[in-house]
Amino acid sequence: MELNSRKLIIFGVIFVIILIIIWPSGGTRIKHIEDGSTVVLSNGVKICLLGVTPTRDSKKALQEEYLDRDVNVIYDSGSPFNIRTARTGRKYYAYLRVKNQRRGSINGNLIKDGRTVLLENPELNDSLQTFREYSRLASDIVIDPNPEPVKPIPYHHDDIDLPDYTPQPERKHHTWYSDGNLNIAMLQEAADYNQPYTKSFANQLAAKSEGPFNPGQICEIFDYCRQKWRYVNDPNGQEYIARASETIYSSLTGDCDDFAVLVASCLLAVGGNATINTGDNAMGGHAFAEADITDFTDSEVQNIIRKRFNDCIISSYTVRTDSNGRRWLNLDWQADYPGGPLYDCSIRRDAYTCVNGEWRWTRLN
């Protein structure tokens, strides 16, 4: 009887060792890359990488360097969750870092390697400073408190030749107000599409799809500005909406409202109509532009988008029809292509529309 017990114990130990060797580890792994900023973990949970713009380069890097790697999940301070009880298929915003690797968070690595640019996540609480802190804690990399200044874009390499920049008079308004009429006055100053510097920039982009105003010009303007865009915060506790000409002169840098003003100004400069939207939800706010596509059919616009952005997965086609029957194509810089997914404006959305040079403010919800 004692011999049998000893045999059972030995057999049990061997069985446990074999189980440990062949049984899949319970660790959290990246099992699928959905796009350049969203991964699916081994438990089916989707993680949106905080701060990461979904580019083709970032998707390639995730597939080549991080697919099937064990990772630690560091959630955003504004939306904590437990990875063990997170729901399969649901999206969560977080930082990821590879286990046993000291290089830093995957989020920060993609940005440092130039695979993507910093994405504004207004619905979350983490700021750029918090993002840098997470990257430092994850890697022991010291973040330079005095980074090199942004290098100017060599526009001449893109066959873009701009006239000399002439500083304009001081503005009366350069921030968002609670009064929509004051915001119209601010945007009239900021969207300086009739100034030679802005007009020349817009003309040279639109000329890649020459002729009267057309959907190809919308695509060229959006794609160039988005690809060249580098995100830079406003001063702490302040809002500053730059003139379009300032943004061009400063090498396409700024935050979401600066991008919206730039794109809208370029559309207006080449004969289009444009809307600048501000949207709010429970977690924060955002700004984005829209282009008037009333004179074109949806199939015409979609075909041009698919042809121009053939490497993108066209998962949605976002067009708004206003009370006057005009159709507006979403041009949010957080999307990969014109007509991309709409920002959540569940609390409030204001539209500042310029049609034929006349600005109008509408509270959409």
Side-chain angles (χ1 to χ4, degrees):
M1 192 73 177
E2 183 180 345
L3 183 61
N4 288 338
S5 298
R6 194 171 297 169
K7 285 182 178 179
L8 283 173
I9 292 171
I10 294 172
F11 176 79
V13 170
I14 294 172
F15 180 75
V16 169
I17 292 173
I18 292 173
L19 263 182
I20 292 172
I21 294 173
I22 67 172
W23 195 261
S25 68
T28 303
R29 289 172 170 264
I30 298 177
K31 298 301 294 182
H32 175 67
I33 308 300
E34 186 169 283
D35 58 37
S37 66
T38 306
V39 302
V40 181
L41 303 180
S42 51
N43 58 0
V45 172
K46 294 184 178 182
I47 297 295
C48 299
L49 302 179
L50 272 167
V52 174
T53 303
T55 65
R56 290 186 289 273
D57 282 347
S58 58
K59 182 175 182 179
K60 182 179 178 182
L62 288 170
Q63 289 173 328
E64 293 179 348
E65 301 175 32
Y66 301 110
L67 187 62
D68 212 33
R69 300 290 295 272
D70 285 311
V71 293
N72 290 320
V73 181
I74 310 170
Y75 54 71
D76 167 66
S77 63
S79 56
F81 63 93
N82 188 332
I83 191 62
R84 297 179 182 274
T85 58
R87 296 181 186 176
T88 298
R90 183 173 172 181
K91 287 187 176 183
Y92 298 87
Y93 287 87
Y95 304 88
L96 295 181
R97 60 181 177 186
V98 176
K99 290 182 179 178
N100 304 319
Q101 187 182 83
R102 298 174 66 83
R103 186 169 175 241
S105 69
I106 293 174
N107 315 47
N109 293 343
L110 291 172
I111 292 173
K112 292 169 193 170
D113 293 344
R115 309 279 192 157
T116 182
V117 294
L118 183 66
L119 171 67
E120 179 187 39
N121 288 108
E123 69 275 20
L124 302 172
N125 285 354
D126 283 345
S127 65
L128 175 60
Q129 186 59 42
T130 307
F131 178 88
R132 287 176 169 172
E133 182 67 11
Y134 272 127
S135 295
R136 186 186 68 79
L137 291 174
S139 62
D140 293 332
I141 291 176
V142 177
I143 301 296
D144 185 357
N146 300 302
E148 293 182 12
V150 174
K151 295 180 180 178
I153 293 174
Y155 289 117
H156 59 281
H157 291 169
D158 298 313
D159 296 325
I160 292 178
D161 184 19
L162 297 175
D164 291 336
Y165 178 72
T166 303
Q168 296 178 46
E170 185 177 350
R171 293 164 59 187
K172 295 180 180 179
H173 312 280
H174 51 72
T175 188
W176 293 109
Y177 299 94
S178 57
D179 184 343
N181 293 310
L182 287 176
N183 288 332
I184 285 180
M186 180 271 292
L187 291 172
Q188 285 176 321
E189 291 185 320
D192 55 0
Y193 59 92
N194 54 358
Q195 296 299 315
Y197 197 75
T198 305
K199 172 67 174 166
S200 178
F201 177 78
N203 282 0
Q204 293 176 72
L205 298 185
K208 298 176 183 179
S209 179
E210 61 182 298
F213 182 72
N214 60 72
Q217 294 178 353
I218 297 173
C219 291
E220 294 294 345
I221 289 169
F222 175 82
D223 190 44
Y224 183 92
C225 293
R226 185 180 180 279
Q227 292 295 335
K228 298 289 187 179
W229 192 255
R230 286 170 287 184
Y231 186 88
V232 178
N233 280 354
D234 284 334
N236 283 335
Q238 300 180 36
E239 281 285 340
Y240 178 82
I241 293 83
R243 285 187 174 103
S245 57
E246 290 178 66
T247 301
I248 298 166
Y249 183 69
S250 63
S251 297
L252 273 58
T253 58
D255 62 3
C256 61
D257 42 36
D258 300 320
F259 184 86
V261 168
L262 171 65
V263 169
S265 299
C266 288
L267 295 172
L268 294 170
V270 297
N273 297 317
T275 294
I276 297 171
N277 297 267
T278 57
D280 295 279
N281 58 41
M283 298 298 180
H286 185 48
F288 55 97
E290 293 174 310
D292 185 0
I293 57 169
T294 306
D295 294 337
F296 316 103
T297 66
D298 281 331
S299 60
E300 179 184 4
V301 176
Q302 289 184 58
N303 287 337
I304 291 173
I305 292 172
R306 287 192 174 94
K307 183 177 179 181
R308 181 64 178 75
F309 297 84
N310 56 356
D311 289 337
C312 294
I313 299 174
I314 310 300
S315 58
S316 66
Y317 178 65
T318 306
V319 173
R320 172 180 64 91
T321 302
D322 68 17
S323 58
N324 296 315
R326 289 190 177 276
R327 294 172 20 259
W328 299 94
L329 180 70
N330 185 33
L331 297 177
D332 193 335
W333 81 287
Q334 295 189 6
D336 284 335
Y337 56 90
L342 181 67
Y343 178 78
D344 173 17
C345 303
S346 53
I347 289 183
R348 186 177 70 175
R349 178 177 176 181
D350 291 297
Y352 300 92
T353 301
C354 185
V355 175
N356 299 326
E358 296 294 326
W359 288 88
R360 183 168 60 94
W361 164 47
T362 306
R363 172 67 53 82
L364 297 180
N365 65 289

